[in-house]
Amino acid sequence: MFRNTKRRTAGRKNFEAPVFSHGTLDSYLNNVYHGSKLTFYTLPPAGEITLDEFETWAIDRIKILNEIESCSVRNKGYKEIESIVQPMIQSTLPLNATNPEKLNKERQKDYYSHFILRLCFSRSKELREKFLKNETILFKIRYNALTSSEQQQFVKSLDMPWEFTTEEEKSALSQKLYASISSSLIYLLNLTDEQQRRAYFAQEEFIKIPFEYVAHLLPSRSVFLSKGTAYLPKFQQLQLLLNEYNQKLSTALISTSHAFPSLDEDDRILPILTHLSSGALLNLNDNEYGLSENASDINAVSVASKEIVSQFPLCGQHLMATLQTNHHLKYNGRQQFTLFLKGVGLSLEDALTFWANEFTKSMGLDKFNKEYKYNIRHAYGMEGGRINYKPWDCRTILSKPRPSKSDSHGCPYRDFSADALATSLKGMGLDDRDVQQVLDMSGKGEYTNACTKVLETKIGGGLNEHVVHPNLYFDRMRAHTKQKQQQVAADA
């Protein structure tokens, strides 16, 4: 399915997939898409792609799925999710090129990225459920972006066991059909007026489908059933498609999980899949944080001020509080906090002053210079290999050993007890309802989602990104605070 442009593949197993000519690839992609912009991904991918494409295509798709997950966790409605995710789809996974060659490349990326992520997400029940939910939402967003004619073209390509009723059939069953959908017209389409409902019914088409495909609708009596055939209004067509897509993908993921052990012999794929699946859980993000955009007033004194510290994420606030209480941090805590403050905008000179001011409250200056000054300079790339170390992102923090009782590094959403976390959140100004939501997320292992929820609560909503880096939290919180200050000054 893929090729490595830099490594020899001779003698490797599982590398007998055919290399398609351009024409054959065209035929294959037309067969899986049937001229549509959607597919149920029923045929396995064939042909070759590079390992670089294997990873980068999957990462692009993971970013979209992670954004859907983030929006869902923050209780955003479907319309909000659609408005946020649609631009990402057009940017990274479009299927609308007019040039045939470019369209084939878009289709190939979409098709392969889906199957690559099946491998990543099939390895545990948690990952399978997450992938299933978010891929179904992605399918729904794409379907709703199609024109009516494109939607019907896609439905015809599926060869589903349904057909539309004729006008004669609808007329003969009109009373029973109307009775079956009347409540749905009220609660789903908000048509409270009887005349409106009658007018809608007169224009609506109905689908005939074997009842087993809509068994979930039978208890609610929202479907008319006759002789094993169910009659549904066209406006429920999307739900039929979502159910079918969800069922097929669920079955495929189970099959993939059974086949996964056969990949153990391939040392090219497994490291990539491991990296991708960890990114799926922790949410990949392209942003690298070096110096904050809002760092002009950050110095050795102001960085410890109440105003600045209140804009730190909880991990930063905890490290600062521990440092100011004990006038010392153990190694992992020093590493995490030094690089975080570097990302906040603290210069090397101010960093040395800041750390010396705190540490010399519990030791002499000579000891500080001898045992700790070098490590701070090293973190800023001024000693040793002179590497410009970047602040730790959430993935790095969570990969470190859990802190012992005397440690202060790590992620509070993972490492604090429920009582300690609740107390800290209330100290940040969250009300009981928001505190409980954050505790629930942390209890499920959704640590970055919990941090994102806190930031969104602090800035009053409107956050359209996921916190996967402590310095991202600070940047957004700092920008929000400055905006509020400027507004107050303008109103004065």
Side-chain angles (χ1 to χ4, degrees), residues 369-430:
N369 288 334
K370 181 179 180 181
E371 297 183 16
Y372 299 101
K373 184 175 181 179
Y374 176 90
N375 288 338
I376 297 170
R377 288 176 53 81
H378 186 270
Y380 277 76
M382 301 304 293
E383 300 289 354
R386 298 183 180 272
I387 299 171
N388 182 27
Y389 292 99
K390 293 178 179 178
W392 289 357
D393 60 12
C394 297
R395 189 189 317 170
T396 302
I397 292 170
L398 289 166
S399 70
K400 300 296 180 181
R402 287 177 178 266
S404 65
K405 288 185 178 180
S406 59
D407 286 323
S408 50
H409 67 277
C411 172
Y413 301 103
R414 179 193 65 179
D415 302 322
F416 280 16
S417 68
D419 289 342
L421 181 56
T423 300
S424 297
L425 294 171
K426 289 177 181 178
M428 295 176 74
L430 274 69

Side-chain angles (χ1 to χ4, degrees), residues 87-105:
M88 296 179 65
I89 296 173
Q90 293 305 314
S91 174
T92 59
L93 277 179
L95 286 170
N96 50 18
T98 54
N99 178 280
E101 185 174 351
K102 186 176 181 181
L103 178 60
N104 276 338
K105 198 64 177 178

Side-chain angles (χ1 to χ4, degrees), residues 293-353:
E293 300 171 356
N294 304 288
S296 59
D297 57 347
I298 302 294
N299 55 52
V301 176
S302 67
V303 76
S305 67
K306 184 176 180 179
E307 178 188 348
I308 298 298
V309 174
S310 68
Q311 295 158 22
F312 288 0
L314 186 52
C315 57
Q317 292 189 26
H318 176 58
L319 286 163
M320 180 67 83
T322 304
L323 176 61
Q324 292 178 334
T325 300
N326 300 334
H327 311 299
H328 186 269
L329 289 176
K330 296 184 73 173
Y331 177 73
N332 280 327
R334 289 200 309 274
Q335 258 197 317
Q336 181 176 335
F337 201 40
T338 298
L339 292 174
F340 170 75
L341 294 180
K342 176 185 176 183
V344 161
L346 196 65
S347 67
L348 173 58
E349 181 180 354
D350 280 322
L352 291 170
T353 301

Side-chain angles (χ1 to χ4, degrees), residues 91-346:
S91 174
T92 59
L93 277 179
L95 286 170
N96 50 18
T98 54
N99 178 280
E101 185 174 351
K102 186 176 181 181
L103 178 60
N104 276 338
K105 198 64 177 178
E106 290 178 350
R107 286 173 166 177
Q108 190 181 27
K109 178 180 180 180
D110 173 60
Y111 209 74
Y112 277 73
S113 64
H114 172 88
F115 277 92
I116 294 167
L117 293 193
R118 278 193 192 180
L119 290 174
C120 297
F121 284 85
S122 67
R123 296 198 282 176
S124 72
K125 182 180 178 182
E126 177 192 6
L127 287 173
R128 287 195 297 271
E129 290 177 349
K130 178 177 288 191
F131 183 65
L132 190 62
K133 179 186 70 175
N134 295 330
E135 274 282 337
T136 302
I137 295 175
L138 174 59
F139 176 87
K140 182 177 180 179
I141 293 172
R142 282 178 149 177
Y143 179 86
N144 284 331
L146 300 178
T147 65
S148 179
S149 60
E150 288 173 335
Q151 289 175 355
Q152 295 314 306
Q153 180 185 8
F154 168 66
V155 171
K156 290 178 181 178
S157 73
L158 296 176
D159 194 26
M160 295 281 285
W162 67 28
E163 59 180 317
F164 284 97
T165 60
T166 64
E167 284 297 323
E168 290 75 14
E169 287 177 298
K170 180 183 174 183
S171 178
L173 299 171
S174 61
Q175 289 186 348
K176 294 177 180 178
L177 293 177
Y178 181 76
S180 69
I181 72 166
S182 183
S183 60
S184 297
L185 293 176
I186 297 174
Y187 296 111
L188 296 181
L189 301 185
N190 200 30
L191 299 178
T192 57
D193 182 74
E194 173 70 14
Q195 190 173 357
Q196 286 181 317
R197 295 197 296 274
R198 289 288 181 181
Y200 189 95
F201 174 77
Q203 300 296 322
E204 182 69 335
E205 295 181 271
F206 280 79
I207 299 167
K208 295 192 300 184
I209 188 170
F211 79 94
E212 60 266 25
Y213 283 84
V214 293
H216 62 288
L217 296 176
L218 300 182
S220 63
R221 299 186 178 183
S222 57
V223 57
F224 173 60
L225 183 64
S226 175
K227 299 179 181 180
T229 298
Y231 293 77
L232 277 83
K234 185 180 176 182
F235 68 77
Q236 291 189 344
Q237 176 176 273
L238 174 57
Q239 192 56 52
L240 284 176
L241 293 173
L242 294 177
N243 292 343
E244 186 71 8
Y245 179 70
N246 192 282
Q247 182 180 350
K248 288 182 179 296
L249 181 54
S250 178
T251 302
L253 286 170
I254 296 296
S255 298
T256 304
S257 69
H258 294 159
F260 195 87
S262 65
L263 292 174
D264 286 347
E265 63 191 21
D266 200 320
D267 60 6
R268 299 161 299 167
I269 302 180
L270 281 180
I272 297 176
L273 295 179
T274 300
H275 168 68
L276 290 172
S277 60
S278 66
L281 289 172
L282 298 179
N283 296 292
L284 294 165
N285 194 295
D286 279 339
N287 294 328
E288 299 287 354
Y289 295 91
L291 291 177
S292 169
E293 300 171 356
N294 304 288
S296 59
D297 57 347
I298 302 294
N299 55 52
V301 176
S302 67
V303 76
S305 67
K306 184 176 180 179
E307 178 188 348
I308 298 298
V309 174
S310 68
Q311 295 158 22
F312 288 0
L314 186 52
C315 57
Q317 292 189 26
H318 176 58
L319 286 163
M320 180 67 83
T322 304
L323 176 61
Q324 292 178 334
T325 300
N326 300 334
H327 311 299
H328 186 269
L329 289 176
K330 296 184 73 173
Y331 177 73
N332 280 327
R334 289 200 309 274
Q335 258 197 317
Q336 181 176 335
F337 201 40
T338 298
L339 292 174
F340 170 75
L341 294 180
K342 176 185 176 183
V344 161
L346 196 65

